Structure formats: C-alpha cells, structure tokens
Amino acid sequence: GQNIDQPTEMTATEGAIVQINCTYQTSGFNGLFWYQQHAGEAPTFLSYNVLDGLEEKGRFSSFLSRSKGYSYLLLKELQMKDSASYLCAVRDSNYQLIWGAGTKLIIKP
Amino acid sequence: DTGVSQNPRHKITKRGQNVTFRCDPISEHNRLYWYRQTLGQGPEFLTYFQNEAQLEKSRLLSDRFSAERPKGSFSTLEIQRTEQGDSAMYLCASSLDGTGGPPGELFFGEGSRLTVL
C-alpha cells in the first residue's frame, strides 16, 4: 500500500527553527509537495521537490532524498502565524497526490 | 479571478437527506478535484475531472456520491441518503496542466463543511 508518515504534532518557540519530517512509500514518485493549512481553512501551497536536494524559499526550505523516501520542511525564524498543520503529499506514478495526515505545529511565545 | 470558490460553506442536514455542493474553479484551470477531509487527517481523494471528463473516482467512494462537471467549468458533488459518517469538510481544488509553475500544484477552495445529524 501507499503510505505517508509525519509526526502528529510538534511544538516550537517563536524565533526558533523547526524541522518537520515526512517519509513515504508510494507506487512511483513524481514529486513531493508541502502545504500549510490553518485551522478551518484550505491548504495552501508551500513547496515542491522532484529532484534530490534543498529548495529554499524565504523562511521555508524543503529537502528531498528519493533514495531514502524522505523529505523535511524547515521553518526558520518562527512566527506565531506559523502555527498551522503542515501536510506532506507525494504524487505517485498515476499522478495522483497521496496525502499525509499532517503535522500540527504549535508555536509558543 | 478570486480563486476557487465553494458553496455552501456550511451545511447541516438530517440523515437520509441529499446534499449538493458546488465548486467554481479558477477560470482556465482544466483540472478539478474533490477531496474529503476529517479532523486531524489529510485530504482524502474522491474524484477528479480533466475538463468535463471524470477521469478517476476513488474506489472508497460509495454509489451515493456523484460528481459532475458538465461544461468543464464549475462542478457539483452530490451525496444521496446522507449518513453520519459523511460528516466532513469537502474540499475542491483546481490546477492547470502545462503551467510554468510546479506541475500539479493544487489551488484549494475554502471547503464545504457537512454535518449530518
């Protein structure tokens, strides 16, 4: 079967750095996405990785290792507004997105 | 264009009733997706359209669920004879094939929250 694993919940301090991990086992691989979802709102796109390595976009970076079936999302200089769920999704060989359950990130002052 | 819009935003219904949700995607987006999401879970794929053609439907989707996209623009999702287990957020998303951005990037609507009593 296809599986995406992420921690259920993480807590971090305002101004700090946090890394959210995602491991996957899917039928084929055609890219990995990270989405942010605030409570009661729709998911919004953060990043996309299809090749190994690090993609940096402002305070957010995403890393991919296809051989390890592993990705992480790195958030720097955390702000209170970063409190949200972070969803990892992998596009499989049929170009369908397989979603993780999301990691709820709690930011404390 | 203001993005993907869905209505109603909230629907409370009694078990056994039928409900219909509407999604207006970003104009010119040729792909439209329906997902279901419950608290603490990621979106669960229901079905998707390429223009007006329904290309895939989840095997988990019962026959009580039907979706249409008659003119390749807006879409409707109908749930017949609702059950309490249907209570969830129903999310619509659209994307454009061949865009210069990340392929398959989905733009989500705000969702339609269904509560079945």
Side-chain angles (χ1 to χ4, degrees):
Chain A
Q2 308 205 89
N3 196 49
I4 310 283
D5 284 318
Q6 315 178 225
T8 303
E9 187 175 297
M10 298 181 71
T11 302
T13 304
E14 190 177 16
I17 299 173
V18 71
Q19 177 175 311
I20 302 174
N21 295 325
C22 170
T23 58
Y24 63 89
Q25 291 178 310
T26 56
S27 301
F29 178 85
N30 282 294
L32 184 144
F33 295 80
W34 284 96
Y35 278 77
Q36 180 190 61
Q37 187 175 26
H38 286 100
E41 298 182 9
T44 55
F45 170 79
L46 287 178
S47 69
Y48 170 73
N49 295 71
V50 67
L51 299 176
D52 291 350
L54 188 68
E55 294 282 341
E56 297 186 79
K57 188 186 293 185
R59 294 188 299 114
F60 293 2
S61 303
S62 57
F63 171 83
L64 174 67
S65 169
R66 288 171 296 170
S67 62
K68 295 181 179 179
Y70 168 71
S71 173
Y72 68 73
L73 180 70
L74 191 71
L75 293 75
K76 302 177 184 177
E77 302 168 16
L78 287 170
Q79 302 173 11
M80 297 303 293
K81 68 178 182 179
D82 297 330
S83 293
S85 286
Y86 292 85
L87 298 162
C88 174
V90 173
R91 195 168 57 171
D92 67 10
S93 57
N94 293 320
Y95 289 86
Q96 289 302 323
L97 280 177
I98 311 301
W99 294 84
T103 298
K104 182 178 180 181
L105 179 62
I106 299 168
I107 309 296
K108 296 185 174 181
Chain B
D1 190 285
T2 57
V4 180
S5 64
Q6 295 185 242
N7 67 81
R9 295 290 309 280
H10 303 276
K11 178 71 177 179
I12 300 174
T13 191
K14 293 182 179 179
R15 188 176 54 188
Q17 298 295 305
N18 299 344
V19 296
T20 299
F21 301 117
R22 176 179 168 125
C23 172
D24 288 89
I26 293 173
S27 57
E28 296 162 5
H29 275 193
N30 52 1
R31 287 200 172 192
L32 186 148
Y33 299 78
W34 284 100
Y35 287 90
R36 177 170 59 192
Q37 188 178 28
T38 54
L39 195 63
Q41 298 298 316
E44 174 191 13
F45 171 77
L46 295 179
T47 187
Y48 92 95
F49 294 83
Q50 173 96 7
N51 299 312
E52 66 274 12
Q54 188 174 17
L55 294 189
E56 189 169 342
K57 186 175 178 180
S58 169
R59 281 167 281 178
L60 301 176
L61 209 59
S62 79
D63 292 341
R64 297 184 296 106
F65 288 71
S66 62
E68 293 182 345
R69 194 183 184 196
K71 297 182 180 179
S73 55
F74 75 91
S75 175
T76 57
L77 175 69
E78 181 182 18
I79 309 173
Q80 297 181 323
R81 304 181 303 282
T82 52
E83 302 173 354
Q84 288 183 327
D86 297 332
S87 295
M89 175 75 83
Y90 290 85
L91 292 167
C92 176
S94 69
S95 68
L96 177 63
D97 273 357
T99 179
E105 177 188 348
L106 301 183
F107 295 82
F108 283 88
E110 295 296 328
S112 294
R113 181 170 295 283
L114 173 65
T115 301
V116 181
L117 302 176

